Amino acid sequence: MADHERNRPPRNLRAGLDARVTSLDLQGLDILGAHVITCLAVGTDGTRVVCTGSALYTLSPSGLPTLLAGHQITTGFIDNALAGQGGAARFCSPSGIAVDGAGNVLVVDMFNHALRKVARNGVVSTLAGNGMNGYADGVGNTARFNEPYGIAVDANGTIFVTDFENNCVRQVRPDDGAVSTLAGNGAAGAGFADGLGLAARFKGPAGLALNTEGHLIVADSNNNCIRRVMTTNLRGLVTTVAGSRERSGGFADGVGAAARFLCPTGIAVDANNNILVADTHNHCIRMIAGFMMASLGARVTTVAGSPTIGTLDGMGTSSRFNYPGALALDEHGRLLVVDHNNRGCLRVVKASLAPSGQLMAARVLFFQVHARTLRTVIAFSGTCLV
């Protein structure tokens, strides 16, 4: 099987017919207290992992959280070698998580400037970095990051990390924690330039995800655009998919550079190569239609929300977000959205595509931690998905 086939995301946006809203009481979410969800991941088996404070939880299908590792309030930099004792480990504001093929949870430990691993049995180890910021390629604790942000892992276990303050994309070998720079050069402040490897420039790279060909899609947040980084042929080649590098950003649907974003952070890619973007400071979810990218340019449309801040479920642009961030696609093809400033909640977007790939409509589902309810706006399907 070719590498790009092994790396193909298993989930895609699915179509349906009708819309309705339901609310379900989810027991046990009071365990999360007043802490908001900051990032999330969904494993290939549907396992949901969320981070709140500096603690990681798994969520059962009904939404019941179980502590995996760390502590909500107490931060630190502590590994734990005892199975079942993940709560003894300490993190400092994880900003991104991913689940590898073996079920290990990989954690971008932002303010510890490190990449951590939580095994299925709760054992916590550090793959790379040692709690000190800087910029250095190397093996294990000799490597340095400076506020790493996003993470993606391919089917071979290779880990990719956006190094936010170093303005570059790093690659980490899973067996020994060897870190190398794939694109960008670690320069403070950096800038904007397409190019190969160290010649490319980013400014605050944030979320990232693998596309169907195994290449990386990066939310270049402070350049207000979406970039692609090749991982196989022409390895490390960076091109701009959509958006403009104008410092002020903006809001506009359109093709390629005609589209405008404002500090995009979250990224997800479905099996049809549609790129979903959390356009954070525009308070909405955008889509870059995959079928357009090869020949006619990357067409950007708004799936849900608008530049108006709010907390409202509904269809497409009638819904409202408040600084949406991390994204993940679940096993039902729904897009989970961490809506940062909406009282620590997960929102869920379901979009419908016509056979041509054109967006038809979208729905928003709402998971509110404080109220312990999951409100689902079931658009295009007559059933309630929990």
Side-chain angles (χ1 to χ4, degrees), residues 26 48-49 81-82 148 162 169 189 204 214 218 221-222 226 246 248 254 260 264 336 360 368 375 377 379:
L26 301 181
R48 291 166 172 78
V49 183
L82 298 177
T162 49
V169 178
V218 180
S221 64
N222 290 334
I226 307 303
E246 293 177 3
S248 59
R260 292 291 183 272
L336 309 181
M360 293 171 61
Q368 184 176 331
R375 295 171 56 204
V377 183

PDB file of all heavy atoms in Angstrom, residues 26 48-49 81-82 148 162 169 189 204 214 218 221-222 226 246 248 254 260 264 336 360 368 375 377 379:
ATOM      1  N   LEU A  26     -25.465  14.586  30.135  1.00  0.00           N
ATOM      2  CA  LEU A  26     -24.266  13.758  30.215  1.00  0.00           C
ATOM      3  C   LEU A  26     -23.744  13.765  31.642  1.00  0.00           C
ATOM      4  O   LEU A  26     -23.321  14.790  32.154  1.00  0.00           O
ATOM      5  CB  LEU A  26     -23.190  14.283  29.261  1.00  0.00           C
ATOM      6  CG  LEU A  26     -23.606  14.333  27.790  1.00  0.00           C
ATOM      7  CD1 LEU A  26     -22.457  14.843  26.943  1.00  0.00           C
ATOM      8  CD2 LEU A  26     -24.053  12.967  27.307  1.00  0.00           C
ATOM      9  N   ARG A  48     -12.078   9.488  22.341  1.00  0.00           N
ATOM     10  CA  ARG A  48     -11.973  10.938  22.444  1.00  0.00           C
ATOM     11  C   ARG A  48     -11.096  11.302  23.633  1.00  0.00           C
ATOM     12  O   ARG A  48     -11.297  10.805  24.733  1.00  0.00           O
ATOM     13  CB  ARG A  48     -13.356  11.570  22.608  1.00  0.00           C
ATOM     14  CG  ARG A  48     -14.233  11.467  21.376  1.00  0.00           C
ATOM     15  CD  ARG A  48     -15.672  11.795  21.725  1.00  0.00           C
ATOM     16  NE  ARG A  48     -16.519  11.894  20.543  1.00  0.00           N
ATOM     17  CZ  ARG A  48     -17.000  10.860  19.879  1.00  0.00           C
ATOM     18  NH1 ARG A  48     -16.710   9.622  20.279  1.00  0.00           N
ATOM     19  NH2 ARG A  48     -17.753  11.034  18.819  1.00  0.00           N
ATOM     20  N   VAL A  49     -10.136  12.174  23.390  1.00  0.00           N
ATOM     21  CA  VAL A  49      -9.266  12.670  24.452  1.00  0.00           C
ATOM     22  C   VAL A  49      -9.365  14.183  24.455  1.00  0.00           C
ATOM     23  O   VAL A  49      -9.291  14.822  23.400  1.00  0.00           O
ATOM     24  CB  VAL A  49      -7.806  12.239  24.230  1.00  0.00           C
ATOM     25  CG1 VAL A  49      -6.931  12.704  25.396  1.00  0.00           C
ATOM     26  CG2 VAL A  49      -7.696  10.732  24.065  1.00  0.00           C
ATOM     27  N   ALA A  81       6.332   6.658  35.553  1.00  0.00           N
ATOM     28  CA  ALA A  81       6.657   5.341  34.998  1.00  0.00           C
ATOM     29  C   ALA A  81       5.751   4.233  35.501  1.00  0.00           C
ATOM     30  O   ALA A  81       5.946   3.068  35.152  1.00  0.00           O
ATOM     31  CB  ALA A  81       8.112   4.995  35.320  1.00  0.00           C
ATOM     32  N   LEU A  82       4.752   4.573  36.315  1.00  0.00           N
ATOM     33  CA  LEU A  82       3.891   3.550  36.908  1.00  0.00           C
ATOM     34  C   LEU A  82       2.570   3.456  36.150  1.00  0.00           C
ATOM     35  O   LEU A  82       1.867   4.454  35.983  1.00  0.00           O
ATOM     36  CB  LEU A  82       3.624   3.868  38.382  1.00  0.00           C
ATOM     37  CG  LEU A  82       4.851   3.904  39.299  1.00  0.00           C
ATOM     38  CD1 LEU A  82       4.447   4.302  40.703  1.00  0.00           C
ATOM     39  CD2 LEU A  82       5.561   2.557  39.311  1.00  0.00           C
ATOM     40  N   PRO A 148       5.828  24.897  21.363  1.00  0.00           N
ATOM     41  CA  PRO A 148       5.212  24.067  20.315  1.00  0.00           C
ATOM     42  C   PRO A 148       3.702  24.116  20.457  1.00  0.00           C
ATOM     43  O   PRO A 148       3.179  24.234  21.559  1.00  0.00           O
ATOM     44  CB  PRO A 148       5.780  22.675  20.596  1.00  0.00           C
ATOM     45  CG  PRO A 148       6.099  22.692  22.065  1.00  0.00           C
ATOM     46  CD  PRO A 148       6.559  24.091  22.347  1.00  0.00           C
ATOM     47  N   THR A 162       4.123  21.819  15.014  1.00  0.00           N
ATOM     48  CA  THR A 162       4.374  23.221  14.694  1.00  0.00           C
ATOM     49  C   THR A 162       5.047  23.866  15.899  1.00  0.00           C
ATOM     50  O   THR A 162       4.572  23.754  17.030  1.00  0.00           O
ATOM     51  CB  THR A 162       3.076  23.975  14.365  1.00  0.00           C
ATOM     52  OG1 THR A 162       2.089  23.714  15.368  1.00  0.00           O
ATOM     53  CG2 THR A 162       2.543  23.570  13.009  1.00  0.00           C
ATOM     54  N   VAL A 169       8.197  24.066  11.246  1.00  0.00           N
ATOM     55  CA  VAL A 169       7.543  22.776  11.414  1.00  0.00           C
ATOM     56  C   VAL A 169       8.627  21.737  11.663  1.00  0.00           C
ATOM     57  O   VAL A 169       9.591  21.629  10.901  1.00  0.00           O
ATOM     58  CB  VAL A 169       6.715  22.401  10.165  1.00  0.00           C
ATOM     59  CG1 VAL A 169       6.077  21.029  10.336  1.00  0.00           C
ATOM     60  CG2 VAL A 169       5.644  23.458   9.900  1.00  0.00           C
ATOM     61  N   GLY A 189      10.539  35.855  14.931  1.00  0.00           N
ATOM     62  CA  GLY A 189       9.794  36.804  14.113  1.00  0.00           C
ATOM     63  C   GLY A 189       9.487  36.300  12.727  1.00  0.00           C
ATOM     64  O   GLY A 189       8.428  36.583  12.176  1.00  0.00           O
ATOM     65  N   GLY A 204       4.128  32.206  13.296  1.00  0.00           N
ATOM     66  CA  GLY A 204       3.154  31.659  14.230  1.00  0.00           C
ATOM     67  C   GLY A 204       2.385  30.478  13.694  1.00  0.00           C
ATOM     68  O   GLY A 204       1.143  30.479  13.747  1.00  0.00           O
ATOM     69  N   GLY A 214      -0.808  12.503   2.511  1.00  0.00           N
ATOM     70  CA  GLY A 214       0.216  12.404   3.539  1.00  0.00           C
ATOM     71  C   GLY A 214       1.026  13.661   3.713  1.00  0.00           C
ATOM     72  O   GLY A 214       2.035  13.652   4.431  1.00  0.00           O
ATOM     73  N   VAL A 218      -1.068  23.402   7.243  1.00  0.00           N
ATOM     74  CA  VAL A 218      -0.693  24.189   8.418  1.00  0.00           C
ATOM     75  C   VAL A 218      -1.482  25.494   8.451  1.00  0.00           C
ATOM     76  O   VAL A 218      -1.569  26.200   7.439  1.00  0.00           O
ATOM     77  CB  VAL A 218       0.818  24.515   8.403  1.00  0.00           C
ATOM     78  CG1 VAL A 218       1.210  25.343   9.621  1.00  0.00           C
ATOM     79  CG2 VAL A 218       1.645  23.230   8.342  1.00  0.00           C
ATOM     80  N   SER A 221      -0.933  31.142  11.420  1.00  0.00           N
ATOM     81  CA  SER A 221      -1.903  32.042  12.049  1.00  0.00           C
ATOM     82  C   SER A 221      -1.577  33.519  11.871  1.00  0.00           C
ATOM     83  O   SER A 221      -2.456  34.319  11.535  1.00  0.00           O
ATOM     84  CB  SER A 221      -2.031  31.705  13.539  1.00  0.00           C
ATOM     85  OG  SER A 221      -0.808  31.937  14.220  1.00  0.00           O
ATOM     86  N   ASN A 222      -0.340  33.913  12.097  1.00  0.00           N
ATOM     87  CA  ASN A 222      -0.009  35.334  12.025  1.00  0.00           C
ATOM     88  C   ASN A 222       0.259  35.810  10.605  1.00  0.00           C
ATOM     89  O   ASN A 222       0.440  37.012  10.377  1.00  0.00           O
ATOM     90  CB  ASN A 222       1.174  35.657  12.933  1.00  0.00           C
ATOM     91  CG  ASN A 222       0.804  35.552  14.400  1.00  0.00           C
ATOM     92  OD1 ASN A 222      -0.360  35.714  14.768  1.00  0.00           O
ATOM     93  ND2 ASN A 222       1.777  35.276  15.247  1.00  0.00           N
ATOM     94  N   ILE A 226      -3.291  29.613   4.895  1.00  0.00           N
ATOM     95  CA  ILE A 226      -3.168  28.178   5.060  1.00  0.00           C
ATOM     96  C   ILE A 226      -2.061  27.691   4.135  1.00  0.00           C
ATOM     97  O   ILE A 226      -2.059  27.989   2.936  1.00  0.00           O
ATOM     98  CB  ILE A 226      -4.497  27.462   4.732  1.00  0.00           C
ATOM     99  CG1 ILE A 226      -5.652  28.085   5.532  1.00  0.00           C
ATOM    100  CG2 ILE A 226      -4.378  25.969   5.019  1.00  0.00           C
ATOM    101  CD1 ILE A 226      -5.470  28.079   7.028  1.00  0.00           C
ATOM    102  N   GLU A 246      -1.311  39.343   4.274  1.00  0.00           N
ATOM    103  CA  GLU A 246      -1.490  40.688   4.798  1.00  0.00           C
ATOM    104  C   GLU A 246      -1.590  40.643   6.314  1.00  0.00           C
ATOM    105  O   GLU A 246      -2.333  39.852   6.885  1.00  0.00           O
ATOM    106  CB  GLU A 246      -2.758  41.325   4.223  1.00  0.00           C
ATOM    107  CG  GLU A 246      -2.676  41.593   2.726  1.00  0.00           C
ATOM    108  CD  GLU A 246      -3.969  42.157   2.201  1.00  0.00           C
ATOM    109  OE1 GLU A 246      -4.878  42.389   3.010  1.00  0.00           O
ATOM    110  OE2 GLU A 246      -4.060  42.372   0.979  1.00  0.00           O
ATOM    111  N   SER A 248      -2.982  42.495   8.465  1.00  0.00           N
ATOM    112  CA  SER A 248      -4.271  42.804   9.072  1.00  0.00           C
ATOM    113  C   SER A 248      -5.300  41.697   8.869  1.00  0.00           C
ATOM    114  O   SER A 248      -6.310  41.655   9.555  1.00  0.00           O
ATOM    115  CB  SER A 248      -4.826  44.114   8.503  1.00  0.00           C
ATOM    116  OG  SER A 248      -4.976  44.017   7.094  1.00  0.00           O
ATOM    117  N   GLY A 254     -13.502  33.007  -1.271  1.00  0.00           N
ATOM    118  CA  GLY A 254     -12.906  33.225  -2.580  1.00  0.00           C
ATOM    119  C   GLY A 254     -11.927  32.126  -2.906  1.00  0.00           C
ATOM    120  O   GLY A 254     -11.796  31.137  -2.175  1.00  0.00           O
ATOM    121  N   ARG A 260      -9.723  35.530   2.540  1.00  0.00           N
ATOM    122  CA  ARG A 260      -9.119  36.187   3.692  1.00  0.00           C
ATOM    123  C   ARG A 260      -9.476  35.444   4.975  1.00  0.00           C
ATOM    124  O   ARG A 260     -10.620  35.008   5.167  1.00  0.00           O
ATOM    125  CB  ARG A 260      -9.591  37.632   3.810  1.00  0.00           C
ATOM    126  CG  ARG A 260      -9.095  38.549   2.698  1.00  0.00           C
ATOM    127  CD  ARG A 260      -7.593  38.791   2.810  1.00  0.00           C
ATOM    128  NE  ARG A 260      -7.124  39.726   1.794  1.00  0.00           N
ATOM    129  CZ  ARG A 260      -6.728  39.359   0.579  1.00  0.00           C
ATOM    130  NH1 ARG A 260      -6.777  38.081   0.222  1.00  0.00           N
ATOM    131  NH2 ARG A 260      -6.305  40.265  -0.278  1.00  0.00           N
ATOM    132  N   PRO A 264      -6.172  32.162  11.719  1.00  0.00           N
ATOM    133  CA  PRO A 264      -6.660  30.778  11.752  1.00  0.00           C
ATOM    134  C   PRO A 264      -5.765  29.931  12.653  1.00  0.00           C
ATOM    135  O   PRO A 264      -4.541  30.113  12.667  1.00  0.00           O
ATOM    136  CB  PRO A 264      -6.551  30.345  10.287  1.00  0.00           C
ATOM    137  CG  PRO A 264      -5.424  31.164   9.735  1.00  0.00           C
ATOM    138  CD  PRO A 264      -5.522  32.494  10.439  1.00  0.00           C
ATOM    139  N   LEU A 336     -15.616  18.251  15.427  1.00  0.00           N
ATOM    140  CA  LEU A 336     -15.637  18.737  16.798  1.00  0.00           C
ATOM    141  C   LEU A 336     -14.802  20.003  16.886  1.00  0.00           C
ATOM    142  O   LEU A 336     -13.676  20.053  16.397  1.00  0.00           O
ATOM    143  CB  LEU A 336     -15.069  17.681  17.745  1.00  0.00           C
ATOM    144  CG  LEU A 336     -15.658  16.266  17.638  1.00  0.00           C
ATOM    145  CD1 LEU A 336     -15.001  15.342  18.648  1.00  0.00           C
ATOM    146  CD2 LEU A 336     -17.165  16.291  17.821  1.00  0.00           C
ATOM    147  N   MET A 360     -23.488  22.369   0.655  1.00  0.00           N
ATOM    148  CA  MET A 360     -24.930  22.603   0.594  1.00  0.00           C
ATOM    149  C   MET A 360     -25.435  23.270   1.869  1.00  0.00           C
ATOM    150  O   MET A 360     -26.181  24.223   1.838  1.00  0.00           O
ATOM    151  CB  MET A 360     -25.660  21.265   0.388  1.00  0.00           C
ATOM    152  CG  MET A 360     -25.396  20.629  -0.972  1.00  0.00           C
ATOM    153  SD  MET A 360     -26.061  18.958  -1.076  1.00  0.00           S
ATOM    154  CE  MET A 360     -27.801  19.248  -0.803  1.00  0.00           C
ATOM    155  N   GLN A 368     -21.852  21.491  26.111  1.00  0.00           N
ATOM    156  CA  GLN A 368     -21.525  22.518  27.088  1.00  0.00           C
ATOM    157  C   GLN A 368     -21.092  21.866  28.390  1.00  0.00           C
ATOM    158  O   GLN A 368     -21.847  21.148  29.042  1.00  0.00           O
ATOM    159  CB  GLN A 368     -22.729  23.428  27.339  1.00  0.00           C
ATOM    160  CG  GLN A 368     -22.441  24.583  28.279  1.00  0.00           C
ATOM    161  CD  GLN A 368     -23.639  25.485  28.409  1.00  0.00           C
ATOM    162  OE1 GLN A 368     -24.433  25.606  27.489  1.00  0.00           O
ATOM    163  NE2 GLN A 368     -23.787  26.103  29.550  1.00  0.00           N
ATOM    164  N   ARG A 375     -26.128  19.374  23.084  1.00  0.00           N
ATOM    165  CA  ARG A 375     -27.216  19.772  22.195  1.00  0.00           C
ATOM    166  C   ARG A 375     -26.788  19.455  20.782  1.00  0.00           C
ATOM    167  O   ARG A 375     -25.742  19.895  20.325  1.00  0.00           O
ATOM    168  CB  ARG A 375     -27.510  21.261  22.338  1.00  0.00           C
ATOM    169  CG  ARG A 375     -28.040  21.631  23.715  1.00  0.00           C
ATOM    170  CD  ARG A 375     -28.115  23.112  23.886  1.00  0.00           C
ATOM    171  NE  ARG A 375     -28.922  23.717  22.843  1.00  0.00           N
ATOM    172  CZ  ARG A 375     -28.792  24.987  22.470  1.00  0.00           C
ATOM    173  NH1 ARG A 375     -27.896  25.751  23.028  1.00  0.00           N
ATOM    174  NH2 ARG A 375     -29.567  25.472  21.514  1.00  0.00           N
ATOM    175  N   VAL A 377     -27.645  19.642  16.816  1.00  0.00           N
ATOM    176  CA  VAL A 377     -28.455  20.136  15.722  1.00  0.00           C
ATOM    177  C   VAL A 377     -28.286  19.137  14.595  1.00  0.00           C
ATOM    178  O   VAL A 377     -27.295  19.136  13.894  1.00  0.00           O
ATOM    179  CB  VAL A 377     -28.002  21.532  15.283  1.00  0.00           C
ATOM    180  CG1 VAL A 377     -28.895  22.087  14.187  1.00  0.00           C
ATOM    181  CG2 VAL A 377     -27.965  22.468  16.470  1.00  0.00           C
ATOM    182  N   ALA A 379     -28.677  18.125  11.399  1.00  0.00           N
ATOM    183  CA  ALA A 379     -29.034  18.534  10.060  1.00  0.00           C
ATOM    184  C   ALA A 379     -28.728  17.400   9.101  1.00  0.00           C
ATOM    185  O   ALA A 379     -27.722  16.713   9.255  1.00  0.00           O
ATOM    186  CB  ALA A 379     -28.251  19.765   9.659  1.00  0.00           C
TER     187      ALA A 379
END
